[in-house]
Structure formats: structure tokens, C-alpha cells
Amino acid sequence: MTAFWAAFTTLLFVVLSPQVFASTPEVITGVEQRYSLLEPSENKRDFDTVRGLPEDQWQSTSVDVLNFALDKREHWLKITLKNADTEQKHLTILLDQPIQDYIDFWLVGNTGKLQQHYKTGDRLPFNSRPMDFRGFAFPVELPATSSVDVFFRFDTYDGLYEAIPVYIQSHDEFRQWIIQDSLWYGFYYGALTILLAYNLIIGFLTKERDFYLYSLYLATFFIWNLLFRGYGYQHLWPDNPWFANQILSISVSFIFITLTAFTAVFLDLKRQAPRLHRLILVLTGLQLVPIFLTLGSYYTLFFTTLMPIASMHLLAILSAAIYLSYKKSQPAQIFTLAWGVLIASVLIYFAQVLGAIPANSLTSNILNIGSLIEMLVLALAMVDKINQMKQDQAKALKANLIIQQENNIELEQLVAEKTAQLTALNKQLEHDAITDALTGLFNRRRLPRLYEKRLEHCSQHDEFIGFILLDIDHFKQINDKFGHQDGDEVLVKLTECMMAFWLEWQADLFRFGGEEFGIIICHKDRLLLTETIQSFQHHISQQTLHHTRNITISVGAVIMPSQNCPDLDTAIAVADGLLYDAKNQGRDLCLIKSLAVQETR
């Protein structure tokens, strides 16, 4: 039972957590935000037309959850962001709704110039999204003492909108939000997995169909939630939006089908309430209608057909549970409580989609909240049934209890081992994502963070920052003549020489790609920095990096002041250009450029 209570406690913790009832993040300091909606039109409008509309045609709104309900028209949202601070703001606009069909994003600077345009949505391949996130997140750079306008166009395949929570966060807050979001859903899915495994094991031990059918219901709900929250599309079939939409819709009907199968056995409806049992079976058969509509890509019709069938289905099951509760059936009484919570959450969700009630953070998460509570209470009902089985079959259960406890211990050990393995694997994956496997240096993915940290350090200590790119001369000849293993050995030995040379400088070393490496260093003395870079290039040529030939490198370096330092792309472009010149001038050469303050502006 320990595994059950672990899952029960975790699910209860998730249900009552602030993340489930999360509200709009606090307003970012120094940034004024103004939201405006355009009156929907029966005709499609292009961006140039919309951006040219006068302000009086935009209706100001303070709503943080957009809900367009059932509407075949496109909808436009404009967000004006004004930065009153003297520092640039790195922002992220988060649309926490993974299944919006079509989204267009335009970023317009205060000069009226279009800076960015994204066309995405869950009807397009996942790589159309600007950021690798289960929902939709759009980066916005807001210059100091300036403003930008962000335009969104929302459209649907056939008129079905989900509620769209809109949040604006800094990049750092967004990254922290993703970690927290992943943590809570990790708890959630982990607890569901434990409940699923637990019920499968109990079903195997007791040979009771209730546990198998409850596990099947849990599994279908698990799958639906992964799809509904965007994880399925993100990780399983990111290049197949058609299939992602099909399987999401189909999984909804299968939840009702599997739940009916569990309910019929758990409440013994065929014997205890035969008429209601036949009615529920008919309504279960009608669940096939929405499935066929989905296969025909009639998604709005699917949903409008599903709602009345599902509502009648829910009420029929609730009626059966209430009837058996009146007959003093304890399992039915617990089931009635669970089912009542689920029905309330489903009806609230349907009302939100239809626009009958306003959308907010609570109603956007109501299906998760209601289903979680329902599963918790049903889990308690399953435990209660176990207790009844103990009373009815006391002697048999004494023997089974020993087996059950042993399996629970094994299950806990297995979960603990798998959790430890997953934790270690996650740490390894985080490390591997930013580390070159061959040399152990940081890879190019880590470069923006390295540059940012160095720039911050140099600014605080008024130091010059050196950005160096180097390339092994004639490296392809080594691979072609001696093989890739010799080439790898050269790369590893060069890494060791670099680490030894720059050890006292505490430089950041990284592999830029192939035989190209990079170095970021700081120092107050520009001349010493220049001489040391030149010395490094000469030092490498004196090392034995290969047993048959002398290996040389070409170097391109840029030395920049800490004040008004250029961004990373500029630094790379300058250093790469110098490296290219060094190659063209015969290789085994170090070219260095020092940027004055005005050159960096």
C-alpha cells in the first residue's frame, strides 16, 4: 500500500499546488504593457492592412486568458510594450495553449520596421515554433527607453478555439517557469505511472477485472493528457500535425469507452442496474460517431457532437452511481463523489469553450484538476474494495498480503532505482547538451552563456574581453591520410595544450565545430592580451600534436572594451573574418583586431 499512498500524496500535492492555480506573472519592472483586440471580421485581413488601422479600431483589454470559443473568424491581438528603463529587456511572450491551430506573430519596432515574423500552430510542423516548448513562446527584444508592437493573428482549421493564457516574462523567468512546469508535470505523470503500475500488479495478484480496467482507464487518460498538454506532439511526432490532431480527438472518446468498461464492472451495473447499464452501453456506442468525424477531419463538428453525447454519458453514469448509493452500496457512494467532481469539471470546461463563462487560469486547468480529484477518489474506492475483499476472503488474503507487501517493496525499490537512474540520466543529458563528447570542452550551444558571463565580469572589473577563433591547418589531410582516429587524437591533444596554456588565465574554452575551437578571456592590459594570443599561436606550432607531422593553427581574434561591447554574433563575425584572412594569407598565422569604443556602437 505504500506505493499507492506515495502516488496518492503526490497527486494531492499536485492538485493543491500553486502551479495548478497559477495566476498571471507579476508585471515586469519598467515595462508598460497594453493589450488590444481587433473586432473580428468575416473577411481575412493581411498584416499590412491591420497594422495600418487607427487606434480607435482596437479595443483595449486587460484579460490574461483569450477565449474565442466556437468562431470561424480570425482574431487579432496587439500588445504594445514600452521600456522605461535604460537597459534592454529580454522578454518572452508565452501562449500556454499547445493546441491552437494557427498563430501568426509579428514584431514591429518603434520606427515601424518589421523585425520578426513567425507562422506557427499545432497544424504546422513543430519546428515552426520559435522556441522548443510544448506550448508557444516568442522571444522579444525590447530596447532601452523604447517600445515595440507585437501583433498576433489567431485562426482555426474549422472554428474551434481553446482558451489561450497569455503571459509576458523575462527570458530568465521563462526558463525558470519551464523548469517549474516540467517539475510539476513530472510529479503528475510519475504519480499516474505509480498508480497505473500499482493497479496492474494488484489486478495480477487478485485476478480482479476492476484493477485491469481501471489501469486501462488511467492509461488512456495518461495518453490524452500527454497529447492535450502538447508533450506528445513535441516529443513523439513533431513532423506530423495531422496525426497529432487525430489521435488527440480520438483519445477523448476512448477515455469514455474505457471508463464505461471500468464502471460497469466496478458497480456491477449489469446485475444491480440493468436498464441504466443498457443506456450507458448505447451512449458508449455513440462515442464512435465523434471518432468517425475526427477521421473525416470535422473537428468542430466532432466537438459539438461529443459535448451532448459526453454530457448524457456522464449523467447516465452519475445516475447509476446515485441509484446504487441509495441502495447503500459503499463503492457506489465513493464513486458518486468522484464522478460528481469530474462531471462538474467537464461541464465547466464545455461552458468555457462555448463562451458561457469567462476563461481564467482555474477554468483553463479545470479538466486536469477535476480528473485528478476523480482519480484520487476512485483510487480510494479501489482501496475500499480491497478492504471489502479482505473481509470477505480473510484467509485467502492473509497469504496474498505477504505477496502484495513483497511486490510493493520491489515496486518501491524499482521506482527508487528508476528515479535515481532518471535523475542521473537527466544530469548527464544536461551536461552532454552543452559539452563536446570528444574533447570535454563546452560546445557551441553553451557559447551564448559563456559570452554573457564574461561580458558581465569584464564590465564589473573594467577589463578588455578577447574573443578568439582558431582552426587546425590542413586538418582534412590528416583525416584523409591517417584516418579519423588520428584526427580525433589531434583534436584531443590540442585541447590538452589549450587547457594547459590558458590555465592561469581561467579562460573559457569551447569547440566551435569540426576542427574549429574558441577561447574567451579577460584582462585589464590590452597589450598583454594581444601578446599572449600571439604567443599561444606560436606555442601550439611547437607542440607534437601528431606523430608524423608538425601541426599548426590559424587564429582570428578580436579584443574589445567592456563598455559598449558588441553582441556575440558581431564578435563571431569579426573573429571569423580574421580567421578566414589568416587562412588565405598562408595559414599558421595569428590576426588580431582591437575594437575601439566607438567601433562597438
Side-chain angles (χ1 to χ4, degrees), residues 287-303:
Q287 291 289 346
L288 297 176
V289 175
I291 292 178
F292 288 122
L293 291 174
T294 295
L295 295 177
S297 298
Y298 301 108
Y299 295 100
T300 298
L301 187 57
F302 156 81
F303 194 81

Side-chain angles (χ1 to χ4, degrees), residues 356-599:
I357 61 174
N360 53 47
S361 298
L362 176 60
T363 58
S364 297
N365 289 284
I366 195 65
L367 282 183
N368 259 21
I369 298 170
S371 58
L372 280 173
I373 295 175
E374 178 248 357
M375 283 186 289
L376 291 175
V377 178
L378 282 182
L380 287 175
M382 300 299 288
V383 173
D384 181 72
K385 186 161 188 175
I386 293 176
N387 291 332
Q388 287 186 349
M389 290 170 59
K390 287 181 179 180
Q391 295 172 6
D392 296 338
Q393 304 173 359
K395 292 182 180 180
L397 285 177
K398 286 182 180 179
N400 289 336
L401 182 60
I402 297 174
I403 300 175
Q404 179 183 325
Q405 290 174 342
E406 291 176 351
N407 277 279
N408 283 341
I409 293 174
E410 292 177 3
L411 179 60
E412 289 176 354
Q413 292 174 346
L414 177 63
V415 171
E417 290 173 3
K418 293 299 182 183
T419 301
Q421 292 174 5
L422 286 173
T423 301
L425 180 60
N426 284 336
K427 291 182 179 179
Q428 185 63 41
L429 288 174
E430 291 176 2
H431 177 268
D432 291 347
I434 60 172
T435 305
D436 176 55
L438 176 64
T439 63
L441 299 177
F442 287 124
N443 59 25
R444 189 168 182 173
R445 185 177 294 176
R446 185 64 173 176
L447 179 55
R449 181 58 180 157
L450 294 176
Y451 190 78
E452 180 184 347
K453 290 176 64 176
R454 281 290 176 174
L455 189 58
E456 181 180 350
H457 172 84
C458 290
S459 298
Q460 292 175 351
H461 297 83
D462 195 22
E463 295 179 347
F464 291 95
I465 182 169
F467 186 85
I468 307 166
L469 290 180
L470 60 99
D471 184 274
I472 302 175
D473 296 330
H474 304 295
F475 183 73
K476 185 176 184 301
Q477 297 177 9
I478 299 173
N479 279 335
D480 293 344
K481 186 174 183 179
F482 300 100
H484 288 280
Q485 185 173 355
D486 275 34
D488 289 348
E489 291 177 0
V490 170
L491 296 174
V492 171
K493 288 182 179 179
L494 174 60
T495 300
E496 294 171 351
C497 292
M498 291 170 59
M499 295 174 67
F501 185 90
W502 295 105
L503 178 62
E504 295 183 359
W505 286 72
Q506 298 182 340
D508 289 323
L509 311 179
F510 58 91
R511 186 177 179 184
F512 198 67
E515 65 270 25
E516 289 190 53
F517 293 79
I519 305 164
I520 306 176
I521 52 177
C522 295
H523 202 274
K524 287 184 175 296
D525 191 332
R526 184 202 295 260
L527 181 60
L528 178 60
L529 200 56
T530 303
E531 293 174 348
T532 305
I533 296 172
Q534 293 171 336
S535 175
F536 163 70
Q537 191 270 338
H538 178 73
H539 170 78
I540 294 299
S541 67
Q542 306 302 313
Q543 305 305 305
T544 304
L545 301 183
H546 192 261
H547 59 278
T548 63
R549 61 189 297 172
N550 185 39
I551 302 296
T552 62
I553 62 173
S554 299
V555 175
V558 55
I559 299 176
M560 303 162 287
S562 59
Q563 302 300 323
N564 299 320
C565 189
D567 58 22
L568 176 60
D569 290 340
T570 302
I572 292 175
V574 175
D576 194 50
L578 294 169
L579 177 59
Y580 181 81
D581 291 342
K583 288 286 188 180
N584 287 339
Q585 294 178 28
R587 296 182 171 84
D588 191 18
L589 186 63
C590 176
L591 297 181
I592 303 173
K593 181 177 182 179
S594 294
L595 298 183
V597 173
Q598 58 269 24
E599 291 181 90

